[in-house]
Amino acid sequence: MAGKKSSSFENKEEITKEQNFSKKKYSCDVLIIGGGVTGLASAMYSSRFNLKPIVVGDTPGGVITLTDDVSNYPGFKKLTGIELADKIRDHALDYGIEILTDFIDRLEKKGKLFVGESPDSIFEAKTVVLASGTRNNKLGIPGENELTGKGVH
């Protein structure tokens, strides 16, 4: 052997620093993890108090978008989950809120800041709101995917 081959574990810290260097960086007052109704409402209230929020969620609009008939949401007699989510998103955008479709898979406190990481981005924030919501369980039965959003949950 001409030289010692380095193991992938030996250079782990170096590789991590390299990967972080190429990630897009965001800084905000309030990092809101979850892009559903609660996350967007949290962002609107934060913005009203002159804080800079960023909403990060992997399911734009949240689980409500899977509902075909919303008849119990205050202020609306009947609409679909997608229509409701669109109205709430549009309302949030009126406040200048940044909404990103991404998945934060790491969150830690570093000094006075919270640092969240996704595969492509790093988020630094003074405060974090966890509004990660829920997911419906899948049964794995025939026709389930075709009927999702049509009253089958």
Side-chain angles (χ1 to χ4, degrees):
M1 287 177 121
K4 180 183 172 190
K5 274 191 167 180
S6 65
S7 130
S8 61
F9 295 107
E10 289 179 66
N11 296 325
K12 185 177 179 187
E13 188 175 318
E14 217 171 280
I15 292 168
T16 303
K17 284 180 185 174
E18 218 172 273
Q19 288 170 339
N20 285 345
F21 185 70
S22 65
K23 290 184 176 189
K24 183 159 178 151
K25 295 187 178 166
Y26 295 90
S27 183
C28 60
D29 293 313
V30 184
L31 174 61
I32 300 166
I33 301 174
V37 174
T38 303
L40 294 172
S42 297
M44 286 187 270
Y45 277 101
S46 297
S47 185
R48 288 185 63 191
F49 285 97
N50 296 318
L51 298 172
K52 180 187 174 199
I54 293 179
V55 176
V56 181
D58 64 341
T59 307
V63 77
I64 194 73
T65 60
L66 300 176
T67 304
D68 67 327
D69 178 13
V70 180
S71 300
N72 61 347
Y73 200 87
F76 301 100
K77 290 185 180 179
K78 184 176 180 174
L79 69 168
T80 68
I82 290 173
E83 290 170 332
L84 178 60
D86 285 346
K87 288 178 183 297
I88 295 170
R89 185 200 64 234
D90 290 346
H91 191 172
L93 291 173
D94 285 345
Y95 287 93
I97 293 164
E98 192 164 4
I99 303 170
L100 304 171
T101 302
D102 207 343
F103 183 79
I104 294 179
D105 55 9
R106 181 182 173 123
L107 181 65
E108 62 184 306
K109 180 96 187 229
K110 288 188 177 178
K112 292 185 176 186
L113 295 176
F114 290 93
V115 178
E117 284 190 52
S118 75
D120 300 317
S121 305
I122 295 176
F123 303 89
E124 292 182 342
K126 297 173 186 172
T127 304
V128 174
V129 174
L130 296 176
S132 55
T134 187
R135 295 201 190 285
N136 292 331
N137 291 328
K138 296 283 185 179
L139 298 173
I141 58 174
E144 180 178 16
N145 289 334
E146 294 79 18
L147 295 172
T148 296
K150 296 179 175 86
V152 175
H153 303 278

